[in-house]
Amino acid sequence: MAASVADTFSFCVEPAGRARAAVEVRFVSSSKGKGLFATGHIHKGETIFSEKPVVSSQFLWNALCKYKACDHCLRALETAEENAQRLLGKSYRVLPHPEQCGIRKDCHQHCPHCQVAYCSSECRQAAFEQYHQVLCLGPSREDPKHPLNKLQEAWRNVHYPPETASIMLMARMVATVKQAKDKDWWIKLFSQFCCKTANEEEEIVHKLLGDKFQGQVELLRRLFTEALYEERLSRWFTPEGFRSLFALVATNGQGIGTSSLSQWVHACDALELPPPERERLDAFIDQLYKDIEKETGEFLNCEGSGLYVLQSCCNHSCIPNAETCFPDNNFLLHLTALEEIKPGEEICISYLDCCQRERSRHSRHKILRENYLFTCSCPKCLAQADDASVTSEEEELEGEGETEAAELEDEMTDV
């Protein structure tokens, strides 16, 4: 029996204790595929659902640069103060209200064989049961000749920051199947994620790896095969199948960001303080972020990506009625309504950031075609169909500056 979205819903979506609005997946069209629709009234600000990924992984450069995260759920492992000190390059910065930091180091654990870190015994056990038995490097963790280390090094050499995907997400997919008792269930689950045509797949890989992508992909495929070959997944290791797997991860992977510092800021914002103390704390936080921006730039968070069954069913709109966020400082995705959503209405998110959504129809279409290989026909784009189809240099330059500023603000506040 095929693993349908309904079959996997209970596996991925958080159970009791978290309210979930009524939604269903429907086929929309041959061009858009499936979509997510409301079956009841959803109020503005309501959490539509909370969902765990079927598989996730921290970005490799992010991990190499000592952004410490749980190897399973990506929860930030540093305290807020340690986080700030590392981003500033200063060990003497002390944060006020340290009790507002939610990191509990006494709960942290390590794999006894390879020493990768987890935020809890639950995450260590979940990783061990799903994929880590296959991927554990044991005493070879620092051995550059180990096949998995060679694969990761090759990936870092072809995909530099800012990162958008990771070869280890694909590795965890394979490892999950290798470890599973019911391998067919997992294979069918992964096959649910949107796939592209051969030409589209090549365009996606080209976009991700650059002009020399053909040779790079073949190198990665050989190393991937050496490290992880599984007979039941033999097609994934062929040139065509590897490209398809690559495209699946690139187009369906949802970015994940976690930050103990951001969590501390949110907790401080909720404190009831006398006005003078509130002003001092707000000024301290504002200056802290300015100092971090000078030292570190836009790379503030522990970052990775994951595959989410329901979230991947959400189509794009330039005027979205929902958005994703990670308020729990781990990989648990929350989909939240941005406005009232009526029964039967499609639930859409935006693949563009807030500044990109304010640019011209031509500019938005250019970004979407280059990164997602489709032309948007949302109400906003249809209403602007007669607008000029030329992007001015002024808009390009203005958009770049706005985008950088918006991305930094998102890093600061939206985790």
Side-chain angles (χ1 to χ4, degrees):
M1 179 184 294
S4 67
V5 172
D7 293 334
T8 56
F9 191 85
S10 60
F11 173 81
C12 303
V13 177
E14 279 292 278
R18 296 187 183 274
R20 174 174 61 79
V23 296
E24 67 178 10
V25 178
R26 300 179 193 167
F27 178 76
V28 179
S29 66
S30 57
S31 59
K32 293 182 73 173
K34 56 196 174 186
L36 191 67
F37 292 80
T39 57
H41 192 96
I42 300 173
H43 298 287
K44 180 179 180 180
E46 182 178 350
T47 297
I48 302 171
F49 60 77
S50 302
E51 181 181 16
K52 292 179 180 179
V54 293
V55 67
S56 63
S57 179
Q58 186 178 6
F59 292 148
L60 289 178
W61 275 106
N62 191 258
L64 187 67
C65 293
K66 302 189 183 304
Y67 287 73
K68 298 177 182 179
C70 173
D71 197 58
H72 182 64
C73 78
L74 273 74
R75 182 184 298 277
L77 297 178
E78 296 173 307
T79 65
E81 187 165 283
E82 289 171 338
N83 191 185
Q85 290 173 348
R86 177 175 54 78
L87 293 173
L88 287 167
K90 299 175 181 177
S91 59
Y92 55 83
R93 179 62 65 94
V94 177
L95 299 187
H97 300 287
E99 75 284 354
Q100 298 305 312
C101 175
I103 300 301
R104 298 293 175 260
K105 289 199 166 188
D106 56 320
C107 295
H108 294 179
Q109 295 201 0
H110 293 80
C111 170
H113 306 293
C114 68
Q115 301 303 311
V116 297
Y118 299 98
C119 67
S120 64
S121 59
E122 291 80 8
C123 275
R124 183 174 67 84
Q125 187 65 24
F128 182 80
E129 292 177 354
Q130 183 178 339
Y131 55 80
H132 190 66
Q133 294 174 59
V134 170
L135 297 178
C136 182
L137 295 174
S140 300
R141 188 180 179 192
E142 304 298 330
D143 180 4
K145 295 182 180 180
H146 189 284
L148 277 173
N149 285 332
K150 288 164 63 178
L151 176 65
Q152 293 180 72
E153 180 64 19
W155 176 260
R156 283 192 292 265
N157 286 335
V158 299
H159 188 57
Y160 295 95
E163 298 170 274
T164 58
S166 172
I167 195 76
M168 292 309 293
L169 192 62
M170 298 161 60
R172 289 190 177 182
M173 292 170 68
V174 172
T176 295
V177 174
K178 288 173 78 77
Q179 278 191 213
K181 292 181 180 178
D182 189 349
K183 299 183 189 301
D184 288 339
W185 189 90
W186 281 98
I187 292 170
K188 290 170 182 175
L189 171 59
F190 289 133
S191 72
Q192 288 185 64
F193 290 95
C194 175
C195 296
K196 301 291 185 181
T197 66
N199 287 339
E200 288 175 327
E201 288 171 353
E202 185 158 319
E203 197 170 336
I204 291 166
V205 177
H206 187 175
K207 174 71 178 177
L208 196 62
L209 298 183
D211 292 336
K212 298 180 180 179
F213 74 99
Q214 293 285 13
Q216 293 169 342
V217 170
E218 180 55 25
L219 171 63
L220 290 170
R221 187 187 69 82
R222 291 201 306 269
L223 293 172
F224 192 74
T225 302
E226 178 187 353
L228 294 162
Y229 185 77
E230 162 63 38
E231 183 65 33
R232 295 287 292 275
L233 297 171
S234 57
R235 184 183 176 279
W236 286 7
F237 296 90
T238 66
E240 297 78 13
F242 186 71
R243 186 180 60 190
S244 295
L245 185 62
F246 216 113
L248 182 154
V249 167
T251 54
N252 291 278
Q254 163 68 44
I256 301 168
T258 65
S259 167
S260 53
L261 180 60
S262 176
Q263 294 289 306
W264 173 82
V265 170
H266 284 304
C268 287
D269 287 343
L271 290 174
E272 294 185 4
L273 300 172
E277 189 175 348
R278 166 54 61 190
E279 289 180 11
R280 287 195 297 271
L281 180 58
D282 289 347
F284 175 88
I285 292 172
D286 289 344
Q287 187 60 49
L288 175 65
Y289 273 123
K290 289 177 182 177
D291 293 343
I292 289 174
E293 181 184 5
K294 291 178 183 177
E295 183 68 27
T296 310
E298 63 185 75
F299 300 105
L300 304 183
N301 297 335
C302 298
E303 295 180 346
S305 63
L307 295 178
Y308 294 84
V309 173
L310 278 183
Q311 178 273 337
S312 70
C313 297
C314 294
N315 287 311
H316 164 82
S317 173
C318 296
I319 43 173
N321 55 13
E323 67 177 358
T324 61
C325 60
F326 299 89
D328 297 323
N329 194 33
N330 62 10
F331 63 16
L332 184 65
L333 178 149
H334 291 237
L335 188 71
T336 305
L338 294 174
E339 58 187 50
E340 300 292 310
I341 303 175
K342 299 176 182 178
E345 189 175 348
E346 185 174 7
I347 299 169
C348 294
I349 59 177
S350 180
Y351 303 167
L352 305 174
D353 65 40
C354 57
C355 284
Q356 289 172 335
R357 293 199 296 271
E358 295 306 313
R359 299 180 69 182
S360 70
R361 174 178 177 269
H362 178 73
S363 295
R364 298 196 306 273
H365 280 200
K366 183 174 183 290
I367 296 169
L368 291 169
R369 278 195 300 268
E370 287 180 351
N371 293 279
Y372 301 98
L373 307 181
F374 73 89
T375 299
C376 183
S377 58
C378 72
K380 181 175 183 177
C381 288
L382 293 177
Q384 297 175 344
D386 295 329
D387 290 2
S389 59
V390 176
T391 303
S392 68
E393 289 186 13
E394 289 80 7
E395 185 191 22
E396 290 282 1
L397 293 171
E398 180 182 347
E400 288 176 6
E402 289 176 346
T403 298
E404 289 176 1
E407 286 176 348
L408 179 63
E409 182 177 355
D410 287 346
E411 295 274 6
M412 292 178 180
T413 62
D414 289 350
V415 172

